[in-house]
Amino acid sequence: RGIDLGRASFLWLQFYMRLGLHDTGTARGMDDGDTIYIYDKQDSQGRLWDAVLDGSVQGVRAALDAGASLSGPEGSFEAITCRWPLHAAAANNHLEVAKLLVERGADVDRLDAVSEPALWHAVEQGHGRMVEVLLELGATASDLPSPAGAPKADYAALCHAAEKGSLSMVQLLLSKGANPYTYDDTGYCAYDYLVDQAKPLELLRALLNADANFGATQRQYQQAYQRLCAAVKRAQRYPALGCNCRTCNSVVEVRATEAEAAQTLKAQIGCVALVRAVQAGGPHCLDAMKLLHEKGALLDGQDQDGRTALHQAIRYNRLAEAKWLVSAGAHLDVADFEGLLPLHQAACTGNVEFAR
């Protein structure tokens, strides 16, 4: 292709990693469609990228003094692709280079081409000390505290660490005051990632130990569900054969139209811990449920559909979890939003052992 290998350097853009001449896509775990940027390492901008990737403070300073730009001149690789040296320093854990770049004017919260700040790359690569340095340099995240009135980056660092399953990173961010109830751009909070994805128990324990409001928050979710039921009233007449389930009363059931207020109430019902844990299952499901209950999760807590953990244990055929719930005091007479009891759920699944 006419590339002068004596002048060329190669950068894997996905994670700001340098590629050597003999590196292969398989060895680097690259996917089809990943982009390799080829730049001239002999001009000032190329020397800046080489120095950043090498972690050379002296080289970065020399390149900047020679006219290299942190944002790139108009029409340059940086300006066109929105890839920045500070992100490369964060991804490669070059602490002193990151400090120098910010000192020389790099925006610590600037987003790159995939709308991620430098802090995202530090969390993604598990560079705990780099996370601390970036926070000291003024990096922000939506789930971390910041000075009153100061704007925050639209990035939830604790959610990211929880999704990655990184215990050390979760512990670090919690020590910095991260809020486990802040939602990321997918609508998930840290609890959602840990419980829904059945992450290792140590991660969940770390989150619970740092959260003094867990039990109170679970009770707030239940209160929101009760307000939801009051907002969407249903009138039932002539219960068939004494049964109040929706199936037996479908002809005479009247339900109020859900207003915007009802949707607002639904949004207030977050991660109902035991319900979500039993749905997720996993090898340590029962241990996770016991831990959550010990920390304040409600045995009869109900999600947006009114389902309790017992409903879901039956629905997902988790007999051991169902037996534990009953032995721990879960009630058998809690109906879901449609009026179905756990026994109805067992009948629907046709599982005789659950019904018995």
Side-chain angles (χ1 to χ4, degrees):
R1 295 180 180 269
I3 297 171
D4 183 351
L5 298 182
R7 298 176 62 97
S9 282
F10 302 86
L11 178 64
W12 178 20
L13 292 187
Q14 182 73 13
F15 296 109
Y16 293 91
M17 299 295 178
R18 169 179 279 150
L19 292 171
L21 290 178
H22 301 291
D23 286 335
T24 66
T26 300
R28 286 284 182 169
M30 297 178 68
D31 295 322
D32 289 341
D34 278 359
T35 303
I36 299 173
Y37 171 56
I38 305 172
Y39 60 89
D40 185 346
K41 62 186 178 184
Q42 294 187 13
D43 66 20
S44 60
Q45 206 65 28
R47 290 199 300 274
L48 173 62
W49 277 99
D50 263 358
V52 169
L53 294 171
D54 287 339
S56 170
V57 173
Q58 183 177 355
V60 170
R61 185 177 287 112
L64 291 172
D65 290 343
S69 169
L70 292 175
S71 300
E74 184 177 351
S76 68
F77 155 72
E78 295 90 345
I80 294 172
T81 65
C82 296
R83 303 285 181 169
W84 315 115
L86 180 59
H87 292 64
N92 289 277
N93 204 29
H94 296 321
L95 306 176
E96 297 305 318
V97 168
K99 293 177 183 178
L100 175 60
L101 291 171
V102 174
E103 178 186 315
R104 297 292 287 264
D107 181 352
V108 73
D109 276 340
R110 190 173 196 175
L111 304 181
D112 65 6
V114 289
S115 299
E116 305 296 0
L119 185 61
W120 184 94
H121 291 277
V123 173
E124 176 70 17
Q125 299 299 331
H127 299 322
R129 181 58 189 141
M130 176 58 76
V131 169
E132 292 181 309
V133 166
L134 290 172
L135 292 176
E136 291 166 4
L137 292 171
T140 63
S142 60
D143 53 3
L144 286 169
S146 63
K152 292 184 179 183
D154 188 20
Y155 162 62
L158 183 60
C159 289
H160 184 188
E163 183 182 18
K164 292 283 294 182
S166 172
L167 177 59
S168 61
M169 192 61 68
V170 165
Q171 291 172 327
L172 170 61
L173 292 168
L174 287 171
S175 73
K176 300 296 183 182
N179 183 351
Y181 298 104
T182 299
Y183 293 99
D184 63 11
D185 55 5
T186 68
Y188 261 41
C189 71
Y191 277 113
D192 293 317
Y193 283 113
L194 295 188
V195 177
D196 279 7
Q197 298 180 8
K199 298 292 187 183
L201 211 57
E202 293 75 14
L203 283 158
L204 183 58
R205 184 175 287 109
L207 210 62
L208 289 167
N209 287 341
D211 182 10
N213 299 316
F214 176 74
T217 302
Q218 292 293 302
R219 291 191 293 274
Q220 288 172 8
Y221 294 158
Q222 183 64 19
Q223 291 163 4
Y225 175 74
Q226 291 167 350
R227 292 195 298 273
L228 174 64
C229 290
V232 186
K233 294 182 179 180
R234 295 176 296 160
Q236 293 180 332
R237 296 165 290 179
Y238 310 113
L241 302 177
C243 179
N244 65 354
C245 76
R246 183 184 181 190
T247 302
C248 294
N249 291 271
S250 57
V251 176
V252 295
E253 183 181 74
V254 178
R255 179 183 298 182
T257 302
E258 288 195 19
E260 184 177 342
Q263 295 300 322
T264 301
L265 286 169
K266 279 189 175 182
Q268 294 174 13
I269 304 172
C271 180
V272 182
L274 290 181
V275 176
R276 300 280 278 274
V278 78
Q279 286 176 190
H284 52 264
C285 177
L286 189 52
D287 290 334
M289 292 173 68
K290 291 177 180 178
L291 176 62
L292 289 164
H293 178 49
E294 176 189 329
K295 295 294 185 178
L298 303 179
L299 288 170
D300 296 322
Q302 293 167 279
D303 65 10
Q304 292 184 0
D305 297 314
R307 293 169 180 157
T308 66
L310 187 55
H311 281 93
Q312 298 302 71
I314 297 169
R315 183 182 183 190
Y316 288 94
N317 197 30
R318 308 202 196 285
L319 184 59
E321 287 79 359
K323 287 181 176 179
W324 175 79
L325 285 164
V326 174
S327 68
H331 290 86
L332 303 178
D333 57 354
V334 179
D336 68 11
F337 196 74
E338 306 296 346
L340 295 176
L341 302 172
L343 182 59
H344 290 107
Q345 187 70 60
C348 289
T349 62
N351 192 313
V352 175
E353 191 168 5
F354 275 110
R356 184 179 291 113

